[in-house]
Amino acid sequence: MEKKLATNGVLWKFAIGQLGWAALAGVISNCLVYYYMPEEDLLAQGHTLFITQTAVFFGMLTVIGGITALGRLFDAVTDPWIASLSDRCKHRLGRRIPFLRYAAIPFGVVTVLVFVSPVPEQSPVNSIFLGVMMLLFYLCMTCYCTPYNALIPELGRTQKLRINVSTYISATYFIGTALAYTVPTIASMLFPTFGVPGAYRIAVAGLAVVAVICMLVPAFGIDEHTYADTTPSESPAFSSLVKTFKNKEFQTFVCSDILYWVAFTMFQTGLLFYVTQLMGLDVAWSTILLVLMMVVAFILYIPVNFLAKRIGKKKLIVFAFSFFAVTFGITALSGLTGLPNEAWGILIAILASVPLAILGVLPQAVVADIADVDAYDTGEARQGMFYAARTFAMKLGQAVSMLVFTGIIAMDIGDMKYRITAVVACVFCLLGALVFARYHEKKVLARIEEEAVAIGIAAAE
């Protein structure tokens, strides 16, 4: 059966799913450390310490750092397994949609439970419970996100559609992340009635309801058989993973992606601390700055979309890495001069929006390009495994970042510890730019063009 090209309406239905899972992932990235390793201002409002705060392993690894790193590594290990199950799935609804339908609700429920502690004070029981919930959280995220991402090259079958879908999911990713940043603000309004822990749980629960509804939109609104190749792959998980990592262009991409996620996760996790500790602003400013970043990034999506089609993705991505490094360097200096603290926040938000607009859109399209060329050359469609491997890179980078970030902020050196995290993020971004500069984009796109001509689809459509 000949497959249809996806319309923009279908691509937007698909993108709404990203809004949902980005909101749940964002509340963990943005609020988890702030909630479980609170500063004095949150404790003064009646918050409770549920887990040990000091470094307990090797003099620098904290409980929360160990739990989050373990969760990321567990998630990275399960990615290839879920990807293989998806690639080989023979369900009547297709290879991807069944996972989206069954994973969405558990994903939302577990996110709420991450912020629930069985014992109302510091206790090893809370640490164990948090560890289990984090493992379940990452398993649910993998079950939804890996098959979801595998639909990107299947819905974006031309370069135009591919860049469009990457743009749309980047837009909804930022909306979801911005919603996650509203949790501290909403929770603070509920402190007098429900206390700090209760207020956070209610705010997260409300966000989870919205997120689950969004995640179910593509699960029930898209007929996978109409647009995607649903022929199951025959390669077992380990064999498929090995084949994926043998792709030299993908090796270059993955190395740069790990470096990016180390840097970005450090910035994302540190934003609440940068706002409250370095700039001396109220926690509500984190939401204001996130919204500002999102709005400016939205405006920039149009030129990014245009430029990617004109000059290619590689040049823009290298530029974004370098620009992000500059932004992190400025973040490390925030609050040190006579510039008003609000101005520091606005400056950093506007600067960060430039690379976020680029890196939010184009890397997904690069993976789709590489996966397509691999399918042409090998005769086997393993998009799920390519996106699982990309997710593995993301989770590995996030795990390293959480270990480094929590280890640094556990040091007793005042505000300097937050400035150090920004400097470390700057270094990782510069390394990412150097690595991605080795990607052979022209060769990849030439192969896609050759195949497009062979099957009668204009690559530029």
Side-chain angles (χ1 to χ4, degrees):
M1 176 181 175
E2 185 177 350
K3 304 301 179 182
K4 295 181 179 179
L5 292 178
T7 64
N8 280 332
V10 171
L11 298 183
W12 274 115
K13 284 182 183 178
F14 175 71
I16 290 173
Q18 177 116 341
L19 190 157
W21 77 253
L24 298 183
V27 79
I28 297 299
S29 297
N30 304 334
C31 301
L32 186 70
V33 176
Y34 189 76
Y35 180 83
Y36 280 105
M37 290 186 70
E39 293 292 331
E40 290 298 328
D41 55 344
L42 197 58
L43 293 174
Q45 296 179 74
H47 193 36
T48 303
L49 296 177
F50 293 107
I51 63 174
T52 301
Q53 303 294 293
T54 57
V56 294
F57 304 110
F58 310 112
M60 65 172 293
L61 180 59
T62 62
V63 170
I64 190 67
I67 287 174
T68 52
L70 177 63
R72 299 288 188 185
L73 292 174
F74 170 78
D75 189 21
V77 170
T78 58
D79 279 336
W81 174 54
I82 297 299
S84 179
L85 290 178
S86 177
D87 282 343
R88 295 185 293 153
C89 182
K90 299 178 181 179
H91 196 280
R92 62 181 179 81
L93 295 175
R95 297 193 293 171
R96 321 299 183 190
I97 293 298
F99 288 86
L100 271 58
R101 289 190 179 185
Y102 298 135
I105 293 176
F107 191 3
V109 171
V110 171
T111 303
V112 178
L113 293 177
V114 166
F115 293 87
V116 174
S117 298
V119 180
E121 59 186 16
Q122 282 194 46
S123 170
V125 174
N126 292 334
S127 298
I128 294 171
F129 183 81
L130 176 60
V132 172
M133 289 304 106
M134 287 297 293
L135 293 180
L136 290 175
F137 170 85
Y138 287 118
L139 178 61
C140 290
M141 186 163 74
T142 297
C143 288
Y144 188 91
C145 295
T146 297
Y148 177 89
N149 287 332
L151 282 171
I152 294 173
E154 296 177 338
L155 294 178
R157 293 171 56 207
T158 68
Q159 282 298 305
K160 180 179 179 180
L161 287 176
R162 186 159 296 169
I163 294 175
N164 284 348
V165 70
S166 296
T167 302
Y168 300 163
I169 63 175
S170 180
T172 53
Y173 176 85
F174 276 111
I175 295 174
T177 302
L179 286 177
Y181 265 96
T182 67
V183 167
T185 302
I186 294 173
S188 65
M189 298 176 185
L190 302 175
F191 288 171
T193 304
F194 299 100
V196 176
Y200 264 92
R201 291 162 191 166
I202 292 172
V204 172
L207 178 71
V209 171
V210 175
V212 168
I213 293 172
C214 291
M215 287 190 290
L216 291 176
V217 169
F220 286 92
I222 295 177
D223 180 1
E224 184 179 340
H225 292 290
T226 301
Y227 307 102
D229 180 7
T230 56
T231 305
S233 169
E234 298 300 328
S235 292
F238 182 74
S239 173
S240 181
L241 183 64
V242 170
K243 291 177 183 177
T244 300
F245 275 109
K246 281 185 176 180
N247 187 300
K248 292 188 181 300
E249 300 304 327
F250 189 66
Q251 290 173 6
T252 299
F253 173 84
V254 164
C255 289
S256 68
D257 210 37
I258 291 173
L259 294 167
Y260 166 68
W261 283 106
V262 172
F264 178 66
T265 303
M266 198 162 291
F267 178 75
Q268 190 177 33
T269 305
L271 185 58
L272 283 170
F273 296 99
Y274 303 148
V275 168
T276 58
Q277 304 305 311
L278 298 186
M279 301 174 201
L281 300 173
D282 185 84
V283 68
W285 268 89
S286 63
T287 302
I288 295 171
L289 297 180
L290 224 295
V291 171
L292 177 60
M293 275 190 274
M294 181 185 72
V295 170
V296 178
F298 279 173
I299 295 171
L300 293 173
Y301 284 157
I302 297 174
V304 168
N305 191 300
F306 175 82
L307 288 171
K309 296 170 184 174
R310 297 300 186 276
I311 67 173
K313 309 175 194 74
K314 177 180 176 179
K315 291 179 181 178
L316 287 174
I317 291 176
V318 172
F319 168 78
F321 269 114
S322 304
F323 201 90
F324 230 153
V326 172
T327 303
F328 292 139
I330 293 173
T331 301
L333 301 174
S334 59
L336 289 181
T337 70
L339 192 68
N341 288 326
E342 293 83 358
W344 275 110
I346 293 171
L347 173 64
I348 291 168
I350 293 175
L351 291 176
S353 67
V354 176
L356 285 177
I358 298 170
L359 296 172
V361 172
L362 300 184
Q364 296 279 40
V366 170
V367 177
D369 290 342
I370 296 171
D372 269 0
V373 171
D374 186 83
Y376 301 151
D377 293 341
T378 66
E380 187 175 21
R382 293 179 291 104
Q383 292 94 339
M385 188 58 72
F386 271 94
Y387 278 95
R390 196 266 163 132
T391 305
F392 170 84
M394 178 181 76
K395 306 299 172 48
L396 181 58
Q398 290 172 332
V400 171
S401 183
M402 292 301 290
L403 285 173
V404 174
F405 184 89
T406 57
I408 292 173
I409 68 170
M411 296 188 294
D412 186 17
I413 53 175
D415 291 345
M416 181 57 65
K417 58 191 177 185
Y418 304 117
R419 302 188 191 281
I420 291 174
T421 63
V423 172
V424 171
C426 173
V427 172
F428 275 104
C429 264
L430 289 174
L431 291 174
L434 292 173
V435 172
F436 193 76
R438 300 176 58 205
Y439 173 61
H440 299 101
E441 182 180 46
K442 290 182 179 179
K443 182 176 73 174
V444 171
L445 294 182
R447 182 69 179 91
I448 292 174
E449 175 71 23
E450 176 187 330
E451 190 68 20
V453 171
I455 64 176
I457 299 178
E461 281 186 0

Short mmCIF file of all heavy atoms in Angstrom, two decimals, residues 166 253 257 260 313 317 358-368 387 390:
data_model
loop_
_atom_site.label_atom_id
_atom_site.label_comp_id
_atom_site.label_asym_id
_atom_site.label_seq_id
_atom_site.Cartn_x
_atom_site.Cartn_y
_atom_site.Cartn_z
N SER A 166 10.42 18.70 12.75
CA SER A 166 11.42 18.99 13.78
C SER A 166 11.17 20.36 14.40
O SER A 166 11.37 20.57 15.60
CB SER A 166 12.83 18.94 13.18
OG SER A 166 13.14 17.63 12.73
N PHE A 253 27.77 12.19 15.40
CA PHE A 253 26.61 12.87 15.97
C PHE A 253 26.43 12.54 17.45
O PHE A 253 26.21 13.43 18.28
CB PHE A 253 25.34 12.49 15.21
CG PHE A 253 24.09 13.04 15.85
CD1 PHE A 253 23.67 14.33 15.59
CD2 PHE A 253 23.37 12.26 16.75
CE1 PHE A 253 22.54 14.84 16.21
CE2 PHE A 253 22.23 12.77 17.36
CZ PHE A 253 21.82 14.06 17.10
N ASP A 257 26.38 14.95 20.69
CA ASP A 257 25.11 15.03 21.40
C ASP A 257 25.30 14.80 22.90
O ASP A 257 24.64 15.44 23.72
CB ASP A 257 24.13 14.01 20.83
CG ASP A 257 22.69 14.47 20.94
OD1 ASP A 257 22.44 15.68 20.77
OD2 ASP A 257 21.81 13.63 21.19
N TYR A 260 26.56 17.95 24.33
CA TYR A 260 25.50 18.96 24.40
C TYR A 260 24.60 18.72 25.61
O TYR A 260 24.26 19.66 26.34
CB TYR A 260 24.65 18.93 23.13
CG TYR A 260 23.35 19.68 23.28
CD1 TYR A 260 23.32 21.07 23.41
CD2 TYR A 260 22.12 19.01 23.30
CE1 TYR A 260 22.13 21.77 23.56
CE2 TYR A 260 20.93 19.69 23.46
CZ TYR A 260 20.94 21.06 23.58
OH TYR A 260 19.75 21.74 23.74
N LYS A 313 22.13 22.02 7.80
CA LYS A 313 21.97 21.93 9.25
C LYS A 313 23.31 22.04 9.98
O LYS A 313 23.39 22.56 11.08
CB LYS A 313 21.30 20.61 9.62
CG LYS A 313 20.02 20.32 8.86
CD LYS A 313 19.49 18.93 9.21
CE LYS A 313 18.42 18.49 8.23
NZ LYS A 313 18.97 18.11 6.91
N ILE A 317 24.25 24.16 13.45
CA ILE A 317 24.47 23.44 14.70
C ILE A 317 25.82 23.80 15.32
O ILE A 317 25.93 24.00 16.54
CB ILE A 317 24.34 21.92 14.48
CG1 ILE A 317 22.87 21.56 14.18
CG2 ILE A 317 24.83 21.14 15.70
CD1 ILE A 317 22.64 20.11 13.83
N ILE A 358 17.94 26.56 17.50
CA ILE A 358 18.64 25.73 16.52
C ILE A 358 18.75 24.29 16.98
O ILE A 358 18.39 23.35 16.26
CB ILE A 358 20.05 26.30 16.24
CG1 ILE A 358 19.94 27.70 15.65
CG2 ILE A 358 20.84 25.38 15.31
CD1 ILE A 358 21.26 28.45 15.57
N LEU A 359 19.24 24.09 18.21
CA LEU A 359 19.47 22.74 18.72
C LEU A 359 18.18 22.04 19.11
O LEU A 359 18.15 20.82 19.31
CB LEU A 359 20.43 22.79 19.90
CG LEU A 359 21.84 23.29 19.54
CD1 LEU A 359 22.68 23.51 20.79
CD2 LEU A 359 22.53 22.32 18.59
N GLY A 360 17.10 22.81 19.24
CA GLY A 360 15.82 22.18 19.49
C GLY A 360 15.20 21.62 18.23
O GLY A 360 14.36 20.72 18.29
N VAL A 361 15.58 22.14 17.07
CA VAL A 361 14.98 21.74 15.81
C VAL A 361 15.85 20.74 15.04
O VAL A 361 15.38 19.68 14.62
CB VAL A 361 14.73 22.98 14.92
CG1 VAL A 361 14.28 22.56 13.52
CG2 VAL A 361 13.70 23.89 15.56
N LEU A 362 17.11 21.06 14.82
CA LEU A 362 17.90 20.39 13.79
C LEU A 362 18.47 19.02 14.15
O LEU A 362 18.56 18.16 13.27
CB LEU A 362 19.02 21.33 13.32
CG LEU A 362 18.52 22.66 12.72
CD1 LEU A 362 19.69 23.46 12.18
CD2 LEU A 362 17.50 22.42 11.61
N PRO A 363 18.91 18.76 15.39
CA PRO A 363 19.48 17.43 15.66
C PRO A 363 18.54 16.27 15.35
O PRO A 363 18.98 15.24 14.84
CB PRO A 363 19.81 17.50 17.16
CG PRO A 363 20.09 18.95 17.41
CD PRO A 363 19.10 19.66 16.55
N GLN A 364 17.24 16.43 15.63
CA GLN A 364 16.29 15.36 15.30
C GLN A 364 16.28 15.10 13.80
O GLN A 364 16.19 13.95 13.36
CB GLN A 364 14.89 15.75 15.77
CG GLN A 364 14.74 15.90 17.28
CD GLN A 364 14.56 14.58 17.99
OE1 GLN A 364 15.19 13.59 17.65
NE2 GLN A 364 13.71 14.57 19.00
N ALA A 365 16.34 16.16 13.02
CA ALA A 365 16.35 16.00 11.56
C ALA A 365 17.64 15.35 11.09
O ALA A 365 17.64 14.57 10.12
CB ALA A 365 16.16 17.36 10.89
N VAL A 366 18.75 15.64 11.76
CA VAL A 366 20.03 15.01 11.41
C VAL A 366 19.96 13.49 11.64
O VAL A 366 20.40 12.70 10.80
CB VAL A 366 21.19 15.62 12.22
CG1 VAL A 366 22.47 14.81 12.04
CG2 VAL A 366 21.43 17.06 11.81
N VAL A 367 19.39 13.09 12.77
CA VAL A 367 19.24 11.65 13.05
C VAL A 367 18.37 11.00 11.99
O VAL A 367 18.65 9.89 11.52
CB VAL A 367 18.65 11.41 14.45
CG1 VAL A 367 18.44 9.92 14.69
CG2 VAL A 367 19.56 11.98 15.52
N ALA A 368 17.28 11.68 11.61
CA ALA A 368 16.40 11.14 10.57
C ALA A 368 17.16 10.96 9.26
O ALA A 368 16.99 9.94 8.57
CB ALA A 368 15.20 12.06 10.38
N TYR A 387 16.90 6.29 17.04
CA TYR A 387 16.43 7.27 18.02
C TYR A 387 16.66 6.78 19.45
O TYR A 387 16.86 7.59 20.36
CB TYR A 387 14.97 7.62 17.77
CG TYR A 387 14.85 8.66 16.69
CD1 TYR A 387 14.63 8.28 15.37
CD2 TYR A 387 15.01 10.00 16.97
CE1 TYR A 387 14.57 9.23 14.36
CE2 TYR A 387 14.95 10.97 15.97
CZ TYR A 387 14.73 10.57 14.67
OH TYR A 387 14.68 11.52 13.68
N ARG A 390 20.16 7.67 20.05
CA ARG A 390 20.26 9.10 20.30
C ARG A 390 19.78 9.41 21.72
O ARG A 390 20.37 10.22 22.43
CB ARG A 390 19.40 9.85 19.27
CG ARG A 390 19.71 11.35 19.18
CD ARG A 390 18.82 12.22 20.05
NE ARG A 390 19.39 13.54 20.24
CZ ARG A 390 18.73 14.69 20.08
NH1 ARG A 390 17.47 14.69 19.76
NH2 ARG A 390 19.34 15.83 20.32
#
